[in-house]
Amino acid sequence: GAGVSQSPRYKVAKRGQDVALRCDPISGHVSLFWYQQALGQGPEFLTYFQNEAQLDKSGLPSDRFFAERPEGSVSTLKIQRTQQEDSAVYLCASSLSVTSGSMGYEQYFGPGTRLTVT
Amino acid sequence: AQSVTQLDSQVPVFEEAPVELRCNYSSSVSVYLFWYVQYPNQGLQLLLKYLSGSTLVKGINGFEAEFNKSQTSFHLRKPSVHISDTAEYFCAVSDQAAGNKLTFGGGTRVLVKP
């Protein structure tokens, strides 16, 4: 079946521009996560949705970062007034609900969007 | 707060030799543990996970890991590597109280040499 998809795969933005990154989770997956992966580092948590509810946004680095999932499926991560330090790969992951047993703890990752801010 | 330490940033290994990737974690609560692999320009793929039960966990592609609660470790092993195992490997921890968000280590790059 189809996995998690992300678009665009690559994005080059000039400093100060706004960008929007899209994530299409696996159909039926209740939980959706966004992570930021800087070059040469492990991914770092940004935010988490359970259906359309954003339950944790503690990892968003500044108020320039905003995420939404209005219908509980597709999610968009928006970065306003991009800065060079925003350059990274942005990974989206989805999973079943934890009430689904052990399978609910497996996160399935998309290929990521590589953002370069010049 | 949780944290994950991967002690080796790079591990060169010859084809058909064994490999062990070390992972230590710190957490004040019971945790779930994962190993992911990342091939160039791709997302992360789950190798194996420990939720409960047997401390020896077997995963895909011949990998296995052992959970050691007293040493707070979750080391990954493979008895004989292939060229195709060249990739970056990430250890991660989550806890249910935190909504299952993952905390990752810094990664270990495995380079398999012929």
Side-chain angles (χ1 to χ4, degrees), chain A residues 13-117:
Chain A
K14 291 186 178 179
R15 190 173 58 180
Q17 282 185 332
D18 297 349
V19 298
L21 312 181
R22 177 187 169 107
C23 173
D24 285 81
I26 293 173
S27 178
H29 277 194
V30 170
S31 300
L32 186 145
F33 303 81
W34 283 98
Y35 295 87
Q36 180 190 58
Q37 185 176 22
L39 186 64
Q41 298 183 25
E44 292 191 355
F45 171 79
L46 292 176
T47 188
Y48 158 61
F49 290 86
Q50 183 92 331
N51 294 306
E52 69 278 4
Q54 190 175 18
L55 299 185
D56 187 345
K57 53 182 181 179
S58 62
L60 296 177
S62 78
D63 59 7
R64 296 186 296 104
F65 286 71
F66 173 76
E68 60 184 6
R69 194 186 185 197
E71 298 180 357
S73 178
V74 171
S75 177
T76 304
L77 177 66
K78 298 180 180 178
I79 309 174
Q80 297 176 326
R81 304 181 303 281
T82 53
Q83 304 294 316
Q84 282 194 316
E85 61 262 29
D86 300 334
S87 295
V89 175
Y90 291 85
L91 295 167
C92 175
S94 69
S95 71
L96 294 167
S97 168
V98 295
T99 58
S100 303
S102 64
M103 296 296 289
Y105 297 97
E106 291 187 26
Q107 294 186 25
Y108 294 81
F109 283 80
T113 295
R114 181 178 298 276
L115 173 64
T116 303
V117 181

